[in-house]
Amino acid sequence: MPFDIALNFNQRFNSMPTRLSTTLTRSDLAELNAFLITEKMRSFTKAAIELGITTSALSHTIRNLETRLGVRLLNRTSRTVSPTEAGASLALRLETGFKEIGDALEEINRMRDQPVGRLRLNVLSDGARLIMARHLPRFISKYPEVEIEISVDDRMVDIVQEGFDAGIRFGGTVPEDLVAVRLGRELKWVAVASPRYLYQHTLPAVPEDLRLHDCIQLRTGQGVIYKWEFRKGEDYRVVDVRGQLCVSETALAIELALSGAGIAYCLEDRVRDHIRDGSLRIVLPEWAPVEEPMYLYYPGHRRVPQGLKELIEVLREEIKNENRVADK
């Protein structure tokens, strides 16, 4: 539950000049919330983005809080932010307090007929295009009081540490200590190129022939250049392809392949329309491997946030209907 929920409390009080009163105002809670987020992220820049304010405004807020308390809470250098002993102690107590407030409000929300609140999701780019872009409109139409923030990121992010409620990743990459919900079928991976490129080059007969071609390399979210995988029955091969171009985004690789710049490697679902209209063709179609599906995953050790269960239900239903239509 986001810490800024506590800002809905607006009790009046007469503050003492050098410390917080035992009765908290909206301003007090805002300052404490700002401090807690800054201490957690260890960065004024990241905390300011999270709070939706400028870095200078956040710095001013923290200075005001420290002045009123009469004690330094954060040690600052040009590169790092770390809590003092007093700051660490205060942050620990505040996290417990804000969590209690969040849980109390969550209990009230659960008494409503429909979920309400905000979900923060971390989704890899393939999941964003193939799942969220296709099926999220149905969810937001059905549950208008749930807000969704999506961070599209191919890096393997610690969703708990980064404050996300859930994520979407390929099977086999989800941490074992998190709850994983399968979204749809296994996925086929293909190498594709434009007719113009294939007309100008000799067609590869086996995966190793790709080393003689202009392949559009893909740098993964883990920072390594992906080695293309191929499977034909029990025959499994991995090829370290070469080429002038290396990108970190599948969409760009597909656009470059469409322009005739080389061969790209991606999910068949990402280029299905291009294959259908003939602007791209599958290279080595008999070697296209089928791998694990995508999964939505979330921490199992804490309360499932409002709307997440409903989101999972909608996504699974929509994907099931989509597959049923595709099979006809």
Side-chain angles (χ1 to χ4, degrees):
M1 175 61 63
F3 295 118
D4 58 0
I5 53 174
L7 302 185
N8 293 320
F9 292 91
N10 188 18
Q11 301 173 345
R12 302 296 297 268
F13 88 118
N14 294 318
S15 62
M16 297 179 67
T18 59
R19 64 181 179 86
L20 292 173
S21 167
T22 55
T23 303
L24 299 178
T25 66
R26 180 186 181 91
S27 176
D28 295 328
L29 289 170
E31 289 182 352
L32 292 170
N33 180 57
F35 159 71
L36 185 59
I37 291 177
T38 306
E39 190 275 341
K40 184 175 183 179
M41 294 191 166
R42 304 298 171 91
S43 166
F44 274 85
T45 301
K46 291 181 179 179
I49 293 173
E50 176 72 14
L51 291 163
I53 61 177
T54 64
T55 304
S56 60
L58 175 59
S59 180
H60 181 71
T61 296
I62 300 299
R63 281 199 302 270
N64 281 347
L65 178 61
E66 290 177 327
T67 298
R68 289 205 290 148
L69 290 175
V71 63
R72 177 178 287 276
L73 300 174
L74 297 172
N75 291 317
R76 311 158 176 83
T77 69
S78 59
R79 294 185 177 180
T80 62
V81 175
S82 61
T84 63
E85 182 178 354
S89 176
L90 177 61
L92 184 63
R93 300 291 292 275
L94 286 176
E95 187 160 4
T96 300
F98 277 118
K99 183 179 183 304
E100 286 294 321
I101 295 172
D103 288 346
L105 294 179
E106 183 72 10
E107 287 293 336
I108 296 298
N109 284 337
R110 289 181 184 278
M111 296 178 186
R112 299 167 59 97
D113 294 333
Q114 285 197 328
V116 61
R118 185 181 185 86
L119 288 175
R120 297 189 69 228
L121 307 177
N122 184 272
V123 183
L124 79 171
S125 57
D126 283 330
R129 272 71 185 186
L130 296 177
I131 296 178
M132 306 311 287
R134 292 180 181 179
H135 308 305
L136 203 55
R138 163 97 188 283
F139 175 82
I140 60 176
S141 175
K142 188 174 182 180
Y143 300 104
E145 294 189 78
V146 178
E147 298 178 359
I148 297 186
E149 176 184 342
I150 301 173
S151 174
V152 180
D153 194 342
D154 285 329
R155 295 179 304 118
M156 192 60 198
V157 172
D158 184 335
I159 61 170
V160 177
Q161 179 67 30
E162 297 291 333
F164 292 101
D165 296 302
I168 293 180
R169 288 288 182 272
F170 292 117
T173 66
V174 177
E176 293 183 357
D177 59 337
L178 300 181
V179 178
V181 179
R182 178 171 173 151
L183 298 176
R185 299 173 174 175
E186 293 178 323
L187 302 166
K188 180 184 286 188
W189 293 83
V190 294
V192 294
S194 70
R196 181 174 65 176
Y197 176 87
L198 295 175
Y199 178 77
Q200 296 171 345
H201 297 80
T202 302
L203 283 174
V206 293
E208 288 75 14
D209 290 345
L210 289 170
R211 296 194 180 102
L212 303 176
H213 282 262
D214 296 322
C215 294
I216 303 167
Q217 297 174 299
L218 183 66
R219 189 174 296 278
T220 71
Q222 287 71 45
V224 299
I225 295 179
Y226 183 70
K227 296 179 180 180
W228 296 7
E229 300 175 71
F230 297 91
R231 188 184 301 276
K232 183 179 181 182
E234 297 300 319
D235 192 352
Y236 172 74
R237 304 185 189 183
V238 178
V239 181
D240 188 4
V241 299
R242 294 288 183 267
Q244 284 183 277
L245 299 172
C246 181
V247 301
S248 62
E249 181 189 47
T250 300
L252 178 57
I254 294 171
E255 290 176 9
L256 289 168
L258 286 166
S259 72
I263 301 175
Y265 186 87
C266 62
L267 286 173
E268 183 181 44
D269 282 345
R270 290 292 300 270
V271 291
R272 191 175 298 279
D273 290 341
H274 297 305
I275 294 171
R276 186 180 295 113
D277 65 23
S279 56
L280 287 176
R281 296 179 184 173
I282 298 178
V283 178
L284 299 166
E286 70 277 13
W287 285 92
V290 176
E291 303 294 344
E292 290 196 63
M294 292 187 210
Y295 286 79
L296 184 147
Y297 64 105
Y298 59 92
H301 62 272
R302 65 188 187 191
R303 189 188 303 274
V304 177
Q306 278 278 298
L308 183 57
K309 177 174 68 69
E310 290 80 4
L311 175 63
I312 292 171
E313 291 174 354
V314 168
L315 292 181
R316 297 186 76 176
E317 180 182 352
E318 287 285 290
I319 293 171
K320 182 178 179 180
N321 291 337
E322 182 181 56
N323 291 335
R324 186 182 298 116
V325 171
D327 289 339
K328 291 182 178 179

